Amino acid sequence: MSTDPAPAAARADDVLRLVDPAGTLDERAAAGMLDVTGELVRGLYRDMVLGRRFDQEAYSLQRQGELGLWLMSLGQEAAQAGSIRALRADDRVFPSYREHVAALCRGISPTELLSQWRGASHGSWDPERYHFHIYSLVLATQTLHAVGYAMGVRYDAADSVVLTYFGDGASSQGDASEALNWAAVTSAPIVFFCQNNGWAISTPASKQYAGPLSGRAKGFGLDAVSVDGNDVLAVHAATRAMVERVRAGGPPGLIEAHTYRMSGHSTSDDPKRYRDHAELARWEAHDPVERVRLLLTARGWADEDYFATVASDAEELATRTRGECRALPEPSLSDTFRNTLCEETEALRREREGFETYLESFL
Amino acid sequence: MTTTATTTTTAATTTATATATTATLGRALNEGLRQAMRDDERVVLLGEDIASLGGVFRVTDGLADEFGDRVVDTPLAESGIVGTAIGLALRGYRPVCEIQFDGFVYPAFDQIVSQLAKMRARSRGLLRLPVTIRIPVGGGIGAVEHHSESNEAYFCHTAGLRVVACGHPQDAYDMLRAAIACDDPVIFYEPKRRYWDRAEVDLARPVDGDTLGRARILREGTDATVVAYGPTVAVALGVAEVAATEGRSLEVLDLRSLSPLDTTELCRSASKTGRVVVVHEAPVNVGLGAEIAATVMEHCFYDLEAPVERVGGYNIPYPPARAEGDYLPDLDRVLDAVDRVCAP
Ligand SMILES: Cc1ncc(C[n+]2csc(CCOP(=O)(O)OP(=O)(O)O)c2C)c(N)n1
């Protein structure tokens, strides 16, 4: 049995692809979906390069003991940048826990992103400021929060759309099915975005489900499409089209992006135990960043100077990431006491003061 | 105290396994599962990433190689894991479920408390549900949110479940086999920060159903009893060690069974020393310590020299990893409580 479902899926006829791994744009397919300009492609390229460099820096920080854990996003840059850039700034996002590239695109800073993985907080950015909810570590819970939020958008007669990210593994949770059904029956303005990266830790997608996710979504009454998740333009075009249909009052939608996590699940994982090297090598040939680089060069939309500038911006981001990570303040239990309830109760205050007095006894 | 554990597997431990060996707690659990599966072909394992990966803590390492499809990598769905285990048990199997981390048992909560726990009573004793649910529990490993929780109180509050916690390698081996042999559902807690603790383990021990319901004195003492279970057993032993250098003699009781409580052993020790400190990682508020303190007070009131003290987590969500050192009950906090109960 193939444990390599995504390249196959990405070749299948009903999977949208606009740029092939050699960087060739399918003009006919793109026409009518997307105005492919140098500016657009350069922007997406930059998002992906910065996101990848950030991920790499976070990985080293974990290896050097500065982070407790890191969940790598290597290989998923196109799925994330392509989708988030299809949204309006006020469209609300409910991420899972691996959406670092998307988060950076929304302006979330390295400090805000790393705090949780350093063990300094459980979620450190203001979701209102970025219209990007804090990460959810319990799989698929956020899909229901997203539906509820979308119901609220509809009540408010607002025209923003909600997008929620989840994984192929998370799709097996009851919450995920409840969310799809709920969205369909309430016509909530929501788009479910599945980053199918082929694996849920050691479990291949083939052990999560026997029929494609898009088929399941259609069964619930959603609009659904599959895209090559390593093709940033295909992801961007598909998400834009879906978001605009939903914004215009169409049924909720699901996008399944076939991609691949080119690293282990997390820094605690040992992918050698379950994944063979050939699979990785096959996927390296589908690298989402390289494809865009080839396209930019072929079209003359970017020269060496441009690539050098992006690379140096990425280095700058890495330096900033490292510095900010080390400077993150240590958490204090007193803060957790104060933040447990909106107003600290008498009992909590007494417990906190007892704790603080105890700490002071060591000074 | 008797358990309803059937002993279908008791005599079968003749397979050639090295007798006494040193093993980590994780390895002892692995050997316990292996032996249980060799003894009874109706034992099947269900869980996320337990086959080729051997579980995220490697507790099921190598079992898929030996037992094939009796080790099931399940879809990522905890309600599904427990719900299907119930069905398998109704069909005569003895499923052992692995929940990947303590904080991910909640999607299965309904299946556990509404179905698994109640089906026997509801069938007026006609049905047996020999399901074991293994849960790595507790903090101290610098993990992220939902990976350090102590949720025993939820399950102890539900009648129809046995809830046990092992604290060291030999118990890990013995108790896991007893849990699997037990005809009742068992919530089996494994202290994750002790997975790498090493000790002598006798792998030739037969299954002993009695292991499940019994507390055990790990260290005799006369001045006060420290009651602990799971991850805090080692803390309590450390406390007794330090207290001894200060001329204080502490008795350490490893509860092992959280539901039902071994009240006989608990009260015997409490009456003997007259002073009790309970240590657990879970928040003190409505935690197991409250039950223990109330039990001691009801049964040993006239033998007590001081109110029972509880040391545990605060009434706040488990904090970020870099603050967990202040949250977890440590040597100092427990010694302070010992000082308080021993104050003249
Ligand atoms: C309810 C729940 N069960 C188990 C876990 C442990 N866990 C964390 S990530 C993961 C795999 C998730 O796979 P997928 O949804 O495909 O997302 P990916 O990590 O591949 O991006 C598991 C089992 C969890 N976080 N939540």
Side-chain angles (χ1 to χ4, degrees):
Chain A
M1 203 192 344
S2 167
T3 51
D4 195 5
R11 279 193 306 271
D13 290 342
D14 58 350
V15 173
L16 179 72
R17 174 184 281 172
L18 298 181
V19 183
D20 71 12
T24 313
L25 175 68
D26 182 337
E27 307 268 4
R28 245 193 8 190
M33 287 199 88
L34 208 58
D35 185 12
V36 183
T37 63
E39 192 191 349
L40 173 73
V41 184
R42 277 194 303 273
L44 292 169
Y45 173 79
R46 189 170 187 281
D47 289 339
M48 290 196 285
V49 171
L50 263 55
R52 178 169 292 190
R53 186 64 187 89
F54 171 76
D55 180 66
Q56 187 189 20
E57 194 63 17
Y59 181 83
S60 337
L61 284 166
Q62 196 282 333
R63 285 296 182 245
Q64 291 157 10
E66 299 286 347
L67 299 179
L69 182 77
W70 181 246
L71 288 130
M72 294 78 81
S73 55
L74 184 66
Q76 300 186 218
E77 296 87 354
Q80 294 184 23
S83 54
I84 196 108
R85 290 295 187 196
L87 301 176
R88 244 169 40 190
D90 67 329
D91 288 335
R92 180 75 165 219
V93 176
F94 283 81
S96 181
Y97 49 68
R98 204 188 286 282
E99 280 67 66
H100 319 309
V101 182
L104 287 175
C105 290
R106 274 286 162 106
I108 294 173
S109 73
T111 340
E112 289 171 312
L113 259 165
L114 295 185
S115 166
Q116 182 167 12
W117 310 101
R118 188 168 166 89
S121 71
H122 284 325
S124 67
W125 61 81
D126 175 1
E128 292 305 322
R129 176 165 172 209
Y130 302 107
H131 293 278
F132 195 93
H133 190 66
I134 49 179
Y135 278 166
S136 294
L137 294 194
V138 182
L139 292 160
T141 51
Q142 78 280 5
T143 58
L144 280 166
H145 309 160
V147 173
Y149 193 93
M151 289 166 67
V153 169
R154 181 62 35 98
Y155 286 144
D156 294 344
D159 75 341
S160 62
V161 167
V162 177
L163 183 137
T164 182
Y165 290 104
F166 65 116
D168 42 295
S171 76
S172 293
Q173 287 288 334
D175 275 4
S177 289
E178 292 183 28
L180 293 175
N181 184 48
W182 204 287
V185 300
T186 58
S187 307
I190 181 170
V191 174
F192 294 86
F193 192 98
C194 179
Q195 290 179 80
N196 186 340
N197 62 15
W199 292 92
I201 309 189
S202 74
T203 310
S206 60
K207 284 195 182 179
Q208 297 295 345
Y209 47 78
L213 210 54
S214 51
R216 193 189 318 173
K218 284 177 190 159
F220 277 117
L222 281 81
D223 186 3
V225 299
S226 293
V227 296
D228 176 346
N230 283 16
D231 173 356
V232 73
L233 289 184
V235 173
H236 190 62
T239 314
R240 266 181 47 159
M242 180 77 77
V243 166
E244 288 325 312
R245 285 199 295 275
V246 169
R247 205 186 304 283
L254 176 138
I255 296 169
E256 181 176 11
H258 297 278
T259 179
Y260 190 74
R261 196 184 68 218
M262 288 200 280
S263 51
H265 168 75
S266 74
T267 44
S268 304
D269 184 28
D270 177 9
K272 285 196 291 296
R273 278 183 165 245
Y274 54 83
R275 214 164 73 171
D276 67 28
H277 193 73
E279 177 182 306
L280 181 60
R282 273 198 304 285
W283 276 97
E284 274 164 358
H286 286 257
D287 189 306
V289 181
E290 187 53 22
R291 204 182 287 197
V292 177
R293 187 186 171 85
L294 292 170
L295 173 67
L296 283 172
T297 311
R299 292 286 163 127
W301 283 335
D303 55 14
E304 282 314 312
D305 271 359
Y306 175 78
F307 291 124
T309 309
V310 174
S312 91
D313 287 354
E315 283 316 306
E316 217 171 278
L317 174 65
T319 311
R320 189 178 141 216
T321 297
R322 178 161 291 264
E324 284 189 10
C325 173
R326 292 222 176 106
L328 268 161
E330 289 298 297
S332 112
L333 219 51
S334 297
D335 286 347
T336 308
F337 275 104
R338 289 199 174 85
N339 294 326
T340 295
L341 297 170
C342 293
E343 232 169 278
E344 195 176 39
T345 58
E346 186 56 25
L348 263 180
R349 188 184 56 75
R350 255 185 281 118
E351 210 179 331
R352 174 174 56 75
E353 287 172 358
F355 161 72
E356 286 163 352
T357 310
Y358 175 69
L359 268 198
E360 279 158 20
S361 73
F362 288 95
L363 297 180
Chain B
M1 187 168 301
T2 53
T3 73
T4 56
T6 51
T7 44
T8 44
T9 61
T10 314
T13 30
T14 44
T15 332
T17 326
T19 311
T21 177
T22 59
T24 59
L25 188 142
R27 184 79 206 161
L29 291 165
N30 179 268
E31 291 296 337
L33 289 170
R34 188 186 315 276
Q35 198 55 56
M37 293 184 85
R38 283 180 183 167
D39 289 348
D40 184 349
E41 62 182 23
R42 304 210 140 234
V43 174
V44 294
L45 312 188
L46 306 173
E48 293 157 10
D49 305 294
I50 64 170
S52 57
L53 188 65
V56 291
F57 291 106
R58 310 289 184 264
V59 172
T60 54
D61 199 13
L63 298 178
D65 293 337
E66 184 172 344
F67 302 104
D69 63 6
R70 288 168 63 198
V71 180
V72 185
D73 261 342
T74 64
L76 220 168
E78 288 75 11
S79 180
I81 292 172
V82 177
T84 56
I86 291 173
L88 278 160
L90 293 174
R91 180 73 191 177
Y93 285 86
R94 306 187 85 83
V96 182
C97 306
E98 174 174 300
I99 299 295
Q100 202 158 73
F101 278 94
D102 35 45
F104 306 139
V105 70
Y106 307 117
F109 196 71
D110 171 56
Q111 287 291 349
I112 297 173
V113 303
S114 309
Q115 302 302 325
L116 185 62
K118 298 194 167 89
M119 221 174 259
R120 179 167 177 83
R122 202 150 58 85
S123 73
R124 291 173 298 151
L126 292 175
L127 300 175
R128 283 165 204 269
L129 289 152
V131 176
T132 302
I133 302 178
R134 299 180 31 242
I135 310 179
V137 75
I141 61 164
V144 287
E145 203 185 11
H146 311 298
H147 292 69
S148 304
E149 314 227 320
S150 298
N151 39 36
E152 63 272 15
Y154 296 124
F155 298 114
C156 290
H157 192 65
T158 298
L161 300 173
R162 289 169 176 278
V163 184
V164 303
C166 58
H168 46 88
Q170 184 70 56
D171 264 357
Y173 181 75
D174 294 339
M175 290 171 63
L176 183 53
R177 294 185 63 211
I180 296 169
C182 177
D183 276 351
D184 293 319
V186 180
I187 306 289
F188 189 92
Y189 283 112
E190 303 170 0
K192 64 172 89 81
R193 64 174 151 138
R194 307 288 174 217
Y195 271 136
W196 301 276
D197 284 7
R198 197 172 267 286
E200 279 281 291
V201 183
D202 181 357
L203 299 176
R205 290 244 275 248
V207 176
D208 175 4
D210 245 17
T211 313
L212 271 196
R214 298 263 169 151
R216 190 159 66 196
I217 301 288
L218 292 184
R219 181 182 172 122
E220 303 261 358
T222 50
D223 293 337
T225 302
V226 181
V227 178
Y229 56 88
T232 57
V233 170
V235 177
L237 288 170
V239 165
E241 201 70 28
V242 174
T245 66
E246 295 166 353
R248 199 163 260 162
S249 160
L250 299 184
E251 181 145 304
V252 175
L253 182 76
D254 178 356
L255 221 44
R256 306 204 299 175
S257 178
L258 315 185
S259 182
L261 279 176
D262 182 351
T263 46
T264 312
E265 197 58 19
L266 174 65
C267 293
R268 206 194 47 69
S269 182
S271 293
K272 173 183 155 191
T273 62
R275 303 166 200 274
V276 177
V277 174
V278 191
V279 189
H280 57 55
E281 285 190 20
V284 164
N285 188 53
V286 202
L288 201 60
E291 184 63 30
I292 293 165
T295 302
V296 168
M297 205 193 56
E298 273 170 19
H299 297 284
C300 319
F301 187 72
Y302 294 105
D303 294 326
L304 288 182
E305 306 285 345
V308 175
E309 282 273 344
R310 293 174 285 164
V311 185
Y314 300 103
N315 195 23
I316 55 179
Y318 195 89
R322 286 174 98 90
E324 73 180 341
D326 285 338
Y327 177 87
L328 291 170
D330 60 1
L331 215 68
D332 287 324
R333 273 171 67 199
V334 182
L335 281 168
D336 278 4
V338 168
D339 282 347
R340 286 195 297 274
V341 296
C342 289

